[in-house]
Amino acid sequence: MAEFDLIDRIRRRVHTRDDVVLGIGDDAALLRVPAGRLLVVATDTLNAGVHFPEDTAPADVGWKSLAVNLSDLAAMGAEPAWCSLSLSLPGDDAAWVDGFIEGFLELAHAHDVALIGGDTTRGPLSISVTVHGFAAPGCALRRDAARVGDDVWVSGSLGDAAGALVQWRDGGTRDAFLRSRLDRPTPRLALGVALIGVANACIDVSDGLLADLAHVCRASGVGARIELDRLPGSGALRAAFDEAGRHALQATGGDDYELCFTVSADLRDEVERLAREAGTPVARIGRIEADGGVRAFERGGAQWHPDRAGYQHFG
């Protein structure tokens, strides 16, 4: 399959939007940004063996490569619009490409995201996606506005994807629900938009709760206290791991792509209402304090000291 045959194979399956003046097929795309809106842009690269196991189904690789980028838009409270895709492929496997595009476009269509261009090349399996979205001026959620006294919240459940990786590496029993959370994370776009004007700071949890919350604290000049017993865990995670193992996965495992956000303590009822309307469960897990750093505490008040705060590519 020649490069331009591959591009045409993808182009025939994409949908477009009225704000795409010129999409796939030229040297660059032409796009119409709505008047009075800011353009929000995020890019992530996924490499085989680093961001997904080598045996991951092509459709799941496609889904995840877009989902992790949409999660960044969700953390900004942005509305997604367009994306570009760069594929590095070790060979001309048409069946793999078809499966990949099926998963990628399934998620894109669900959120009205138009694929507008990209690049293809031969090399180790690697996928780079750039997403574009819109936000009103002064309304985007950021990392640098957490305030002392804020509650710390997270969406969904934590530790599922990391638990699936542990099971995969051990080669023993593998829970299908945990694996689905690794392969097909859910970008919390509706919740991100709902939190505009309510949340003070927000980030998506990709490298691990403690590591990502630490980014918020450094940017905001504050600290945080987290209660391990409040971390939300799925039934599948609780069935597969004991308490100590579960806490490590939830607090430091990463690959959750849930939102971690801070909100004034007097808006707890509002957060729960907005979360219900967005169809996304949330849990209050701690608070923002004046002291620097992120500290986690076990039942009974003892401080918990993990081996690491989260994943580091060059650590």
Side-chain angles (χ1 to χ4, degrees):
M1 182 172 53
E3 178 183 6
F4 292 105
D5 293 333
L6 169 59
I7 294 171
D8 189 58
R9 195 179 195 94
I10 295 171
R11 181 188 58 78
R12 291 197 304 266
R13 299 183 61 178
V14 304
H15 85 296
T16 190
R17 295 165 43 117
D18 291 340
D19 50 16
V20 178
V21 179
L22 181 64
I24 297 173
D26 216 303
D27 290 311
L30 299 176
L31 308 168
R32 185 178 295 110
V33 179
R37 305 296 296 276
L38 296 179
L39 184 64
V40 185
V41 181
T43 301
D44 271 300
T45 298
L46 279 71
N47 295 318
V50 177
H51 298 94
F52 55 90
E54 289 86 347
D55 63 358
T56 304
D60 293 337
V61 177
W63 174 290
K64 186 170 186 175
S65 63
L66 180 58
V68 302
N69 283 272
L70 292 180
S71 182
D72 286 328
L73 292 191
M76 303 291 290
E79 172 194 344
W82 316 306
C83 68
S84 61
L85 167 65
S86 292
L87 275 175
S88 171
L89 299 170
D92 56 349
D93 187 340
W96 192 95
V97 171
D98 285 344
F100 173 89
I101 289 299
E102 178 184 352
F104 188 97
L105 294 182
E106 180 183 352
L107 184 60
H109 293 166
H111 295 286
D112 193 26
V113 175
L115 178 59
I116 56 166
D119 188 33
T120 57
T121 186
R122 181 183 295 273
L125 181 57
S126 180
I127 305 104
S128 183
V129 176
T130 297
V131 291
H132 310 77
F134 309 134
C139 290
L141 300 175
R142 296 168 49 151
R143 301 180 181 183
D144 60 358
R147 302 169 184 168
V148 174
D150 279 359
D151 290 328
V152 179
W153 297 75
V154 292
S155 65
S157 60
L158 302 175
D160 295 329
L165 274 178
V166 169
Q167 292 182 337
W168 177 76
R169 288 169 179 153
D170 289 348
T173 301
R174 300 182 183 182
D175 184 271
F177 173 80
L178 297 182
R179 184 57 190 257
S180 71
R181 292 276 286 154
L182 172 66
D183 291 341
R184 294 205 170 201
T186 303
R188 304 298 189 178
L189 290 159
L191 179 63
V193 171
L195 290 173
I196 293 174
V198 176
N200 291 326
C202 188
I203 193 170
D204 75 323
V205 180
S206 56
D207 294 327
L209 172 66
L210 299 187
D212 289 317
L213 181 55
H215 295 319
V216 172
C217 289
R218 281 193 292 271
S220 301
V222 296
R225 176 188 176 103
I226 299 302
E227 307 295 338
L228 292 178
D229 285 346
R230 292 187 179 182
L231 300 184
S234 67
L237 188 73
R238 294 178 183 277
F241 296 92
D242 62 19
E243 182 178 80
R246 187 172 68 249
H247 284 166
L249 294 170
Q250 291 174 294
T252 69
D255 243 7
D256 299 296
Y257 299 101
E258 298 290 351
L259 298 185
C260 176
F261 53 98
T262 79
V263 182
S264 176
D266 60 1
L267 293 177
R268 291 173 183 174
D269 290 344
E270 180 70 359
V271 170
E272 291 177 347
R273 181 186 68 82
L274 293 172
R276 285 194 301 270
E277 292 178 353
T280 305
V282 294
R284 182 166 51 88
I285 62 170
R287 66 176 182 268
I288 296 297
E289 300 181 330
D291 294 336
V294 178
R295 298 176 297 159
F297 292 85
E298 300 176 298
R299 184 187 305 116
Q303 187 170 350
W304 181 68
H305 298 281
D307 294 333
R308 62 175 192 172
Y311 183 79
Q312 294 185 17
H313 283 281
F314 303 105

